[in-house]
């Protein structure tokens, strides 16, 4: 969990900053999730790929208009300061119900920022659903076995 100060600044975890620092924009892209009470976050490269994928919709179609409004119109570029913090806008803080702490949750190429107790409840639902449905992932390339632990 990361502390959110009175001005709405929160430290982005170092592992996230390290990955995102490879990009031109030194910060994150954030927008209100339209599927959960959290903030969606990603790098500029993912946002560009997302934008490219909307080209599959007909121009000005309801689907294209909805995606544009829900993601791109709401997206903010949040640069980090020298201490690795971002300043969260008030509407994003409100949407996620953040107050004094925030939980950063990695989701592969993206991440989410949650009110910690809300995420605990969501995680419990996800785990219960996984136990019931037993999801699987296809592996596209063989996984090399790890031999020893490097000691």
């Amino acid at each position: 969990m990361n502390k959110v100060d009175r001005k709405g600044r929160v430290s982005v975890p170092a592992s996230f900053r390290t990955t995102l620092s490879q990009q031109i924009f030194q910060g994150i892209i954030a927008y209100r999730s339209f599927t959960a009470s959290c903030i969606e976050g990603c790098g500029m490269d993912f946002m560009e790929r997302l934008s490219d994928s909307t080209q599959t919709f007909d121009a000005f179609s309801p689907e294209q208009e909805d995606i544009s409004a829900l993601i791109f119109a709401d997206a903010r570029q949040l640069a980090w300061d020298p201490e690795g913090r971002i300043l969260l806008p008030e509407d994003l803080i409100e949407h996620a119900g953040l107050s004094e702490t925030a939980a950063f949750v990695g989701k592969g190429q993206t991440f989410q920022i949650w009110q910690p107790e809300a995420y605990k409840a969501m995680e419990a639902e996800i785990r219960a659903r996984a136990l019931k449905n037993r999801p699987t992932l296809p592996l596209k390339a063989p996984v090399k076995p790890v031999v020893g632990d490097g000691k």
Side-chain angles (χ1 to χ4, degrees), residues 7-110:
K7 293 181 181 179
R9 294 178 299 200
V10 63
S11 291
V12 176
S15 60
F16 290 42
R17 288 194 320 268
T18 298
T19 301
L20 293 169
S21 68
Q22 318 271 327
Q23 300 185 30
I24 294 171
F25 177 66
Q26 296 297 292
I28 69 167
I29 309 300
Y31 55 95
R32 293 175 291 181
S33 174
F34 58 90
T35 60
S37 294
C38 66
I39 300 167
E40 299 286 349
C42 62
M44 186 62 77
D45 65 337
F46 184 82
M47 187 59 74
E48 288 171 356
R49 286 196 317 273
L50 201 55
S51 177
D52 290 345
S53 72
T54 65
Q55 301 309 309
T56 60
F57 296 118
D58 291 333
F60 310 111
S61 68
E63 296 86 358
Q64 195 268 343
E65 291 291 323
D66 289 349
I67 292 293
S68 294
L70 289 169
I71 298 173
F72 306 116
D74 197 45
R76 317 288 174 70
Q77 293 183 10
L78 307 176
W80 44 68
D81 67 14
E83 287 81 39
R85 299 174 301 186
I86 54 170
L87 177 61
L88 293 170
E90 186 59 39
D91 63 328
L92 295 183
I93 290 172
E94 227 174 84
H95 175 76
L98 302 178
S99 56
E100 296 177 5
T101 57
F104 281 73
V105 179
K107 309 275 283 183
Q109 296 180 13
T110 65

